[in-house]
Amino acid sequence: MNTVFLYALVGIGLFCLGLFALIVQAHLLRKILAINIMGSGVFLILVALARRTEGGIPDPVPHAMVITGIVVAVSATALALVMILKVTESSGQPEFPDEESK
Amino acid sequence: MEALALLQDVFDILLGFGLLWLAWLALFSLDLFRSIVSFISFGLLMAIIWVRLDAPDVALAEAAIGAGLTGALFLAAFAKLQPASVNGKGSSINPQKQSSRKQLLRWLPALIMLWIASGLTIAILALPPHATGLTSEVTSNLTASGVSNPVTAVLLNFRGYDTLLEIVVLLLALLAVWSIGSSVPSIESEPGPVLDTLSRLLVPILIMVSAYLLWVGAHAPGGAFQAGAVLGAAGVLLVLSGWKLYPGLEGFPLRLVLTAGSITFVVIAILTMLVSGTFMQFPPAQASILILILEMVATLSIGVTLAALFIGSPPTDIKKL
């Protein structure tokens, strides 16, 4: 049962690391990377906790949810990347303008 | 036995720390290209962890999508961003602006993150070490689902709703990407002999792997999403080596393939509603064949949609319409 909680804690670590980077990093590509890593953290917690069953067969419902989540994440990432390219085209830099430099 | 268990624990701890380290590199490495490569390795490590957690279906999806396609998307976007950041305004960090206020702005989120992390840790550790979840419900109804792989049964029968909406989300994402469009032209270069030969060898194999995953998904790890992702990877490889869709197929035929998954899903759901009275409730006797049809069409749609998402802009034919 140690494995379950070990990986669930790693999942928490990934989520918080990603959230921190999402706030701190200015580059938009890094923000998308951060959101992807946050998502991986959530998936890890879900699948780790699904393994707490007695019989040794993990709960298949969270597994199916995570597969759905992975596919939704890749489509959202593709959309976000195109939007970054648009922002870069119009503002000349892959970042949102700074509050002070407006 | 004892030594094996200890070895597995050490392996788990190493994997966990390796994953966190790669995430750190992906997020805070100074070189953006290095970040993306770290992110791809992160996806591969993640796939190993899914296997450790007895989730081979998720591992297949992660290896094909999380590490493969997402990485390819990031690298393509990075390549298109390059000219912009080289032309001067790449980094707008002004040394004078790194004042104490900025320092505070870095510490404050770090503290909040620690607070969130400790709260989540307490919540997770407070959970009971054993929980049955929905395993017993799934296993007791597995015979009625038409397949013997529990994950496929959940995805295409018990929670078919989620999968229907997921395919629609994929389609919506592609529509949005096509509508926004990017005037940055995709980099067209002559494929080198290695890429050319490799794609000639790999694409037929990828198509076969995809068909195998689709077929095997009924009773073993695999299924429509994994198969679709592998098909999408084959498409990306073809695009990278300069392959183009025949002009005659760019208009209606392409759109038909893209929407076929959603359409088939909805049609089957409505037909089953007419027969059994409930939306998307498959009659157990026909469930197996219905799931196979759905998966075949969905695989094709998912594969083509993922490859189209990688290309990013609609084929020229559609743009003119």
Side-chain angles (χ1 to χ4, degrees):
Chain A
M1 280 305 103
N2 284 332
T3 329
V4 167
F5 287 104
L6 171 76
Y7 282 124
L9 293 185
V10 172
I12 293 175
L14 289 180
F15 180 82
C16 292
L17 209 59
L19 191 55
F20 179 62
L22 180 66
I23 298 170
V24 171
Q25 296 280 15
H27 198 295
L28 291 174
L29 203 67
R30 279 187 201 273
K31 282 191 194 280
I32 310 293
L33 277 174
I35 293 173
N36 268 291
I37 285 181
M38 282 171 74
S40 294
V42 175
F43 297 155
L44 193 53
I45 295 173
L46 271 174
V47 174
L49 293 180
R51 206 166 164 264
R52 290 179 302 151
T53 47
E54 308 260 2
I57 309 163
D59 189 351
V61 179
H63 289 190
M65 280 165 65
V66 168
I67 292 176
T68 311
I70 289 175
V71 177
V72 172
V74 72
S75 33
T77 303
L79 178 56
L81 288 173
V82 171
M83 285 161 93
I84 289 185
L85 291 177
K86 269 285 173 205
V87 169
T88 316
E89 253 172 61
S90 61
S91 71
Q93 56 179 24
E95 294 173 14
F96 288 132
D98 221 2
E99 195 75 35
E100 293 153 41
S101 63
K102 256 183 195 171
Chain B
M1 255 348 254
E2 196 87 328
L4 189 69
L6 186 72
L7 203 66
Q8 281 183 341
D9 282 347
V10 171
F11 187 60
D12 284 334
I13 290 170
L14 282 179
L15 267 181
F17 276 101
L19 194 71
L20 285 171
W21 181 64
L22 278 174
W24 176 267
L25 278 185
L27 294 171
F28 295 102
S29 163
L30 286 175
D31 182 8
L32 194 55
F33 181 72
R34 233 173 144 180
S35 288
I36 296 172
V37 174
S38 306
F39 180 75
I40 296 172
S41 338
F42 171 88
L44 287 175
L45 216 59
M46 200 81 192
I48 300 175
I49 288 179
W50 296 135
V51 177
R52 281 291 299 143
L53 286 169
D54 297 325
D57 295 87
V58 186
L60 283 170
E62 178 82 40
I65 301 179
L69 273 168
T70 315
L73 282 169
F74 271 114
L75 283 176
F78 176 73
K80 285 180 191 168
L81 275 180
Q82 265 334 74
S85 44
V86 170
N87 292 343
K89 289 193 214 161
S91 130
S92 63
I93 297 168
N94 189 335
Q96 279 180 336
K97 269 202 230 157
Q98 294 282 49
S99 54
S100 55
R101 192 164 152 259
K102 281 257 161 142
Q103 284 292 319
L104 183 72
L105 281 180
R106 254 177 180 267
W107 279 108
L108 200 63
L111 282 176
I112 296 173
M113 280 328 116
L114 274 181
W115 182 57
I116 294 178
S118 40
L120 284 173
T121 308
I122 293 169
I124 295 269
L125 291 180
L127 288 170
H130 291 287
T132 46
L134 295 166
T135 321
S136 54
E137 277 87 345
V138 172
T139 40
S140 59
N141 289 310
L142 202 56
T143 42
S145 74
V147 288
S148 59
N149 176 10
V151 177
T152 306
V154 172
L155 270 176
L156 283 142
N157 199 334
F158 305 146
R159 299 286 316 164
Y161 242 130
D162 296 351
T163 309
L164 166 65
L165 292 177
E166 173 186 5
I167 294 177
V168 175
V169 164
L170 258 178
L171 192 63
L172 275 178
L174 181 68
L175 284 181
V177 165
W178 277 5
S179 323
I180 295 174
S182 149
S183 59
V184 183
S186 45
I187 303 106
E188 296 212 4
S189 55
E190 278 292 303
V194 176
L195 181 60
D196 197 56
T197 318
L198 193 72
S199 50
R200 270 168 216 274
L201 287 173
L202 267 181
V203 168
I205 297 178
L206 284 175
I207 293 173
M208 258 172 59
V209 169
S210 165
Y212 171 74
L213 281 174
L214 173 65
W215 180 255
V216 87
H219 55 87
F225 291 106
Q226 292 86 343
V230 172
L231 205 60
V236 169
L237 204 59
L238 279 176
V239 169
L240 284 178
S241 54
W243 178 82
K244 286 211 168 57
L245 202 61
Y246 300 112
L249 296 176
E250 279 179 352
F252 182 71
L254 177 65
R255 293 192 224 177
L256 187 67
V257 172
L258 288 173
T259 49
S262 323
I263 293 172
T264 315
F265 230 115
V266 172
V267 167
I268 288 186
I270 291 173
L271 284 181
T272 52
M273 184 166 76
L274 295 178
V275 175
S276 62
T278 317
F279 191 68
M280 217 180 264
Q281 186 177 334
F282 300 152
Q286 283 86 38
S288 187
I289 185 76
L290 283 179
I291 287 180
L292 188 64
I293 295 172
L294 266 183
E295 283 201 306
M296 270 162 50
V297 185
T299 300
L300 199 61
S301 282
I302 292 170
V304 177
T305 312
L306 287 175
L309 278 175
F310 176 77
I311 300 170
S313 52
T316 41
D317 198 346
I318 291 179
K319 225 184 264 170
K320 268 183 256 159
L321 287 175

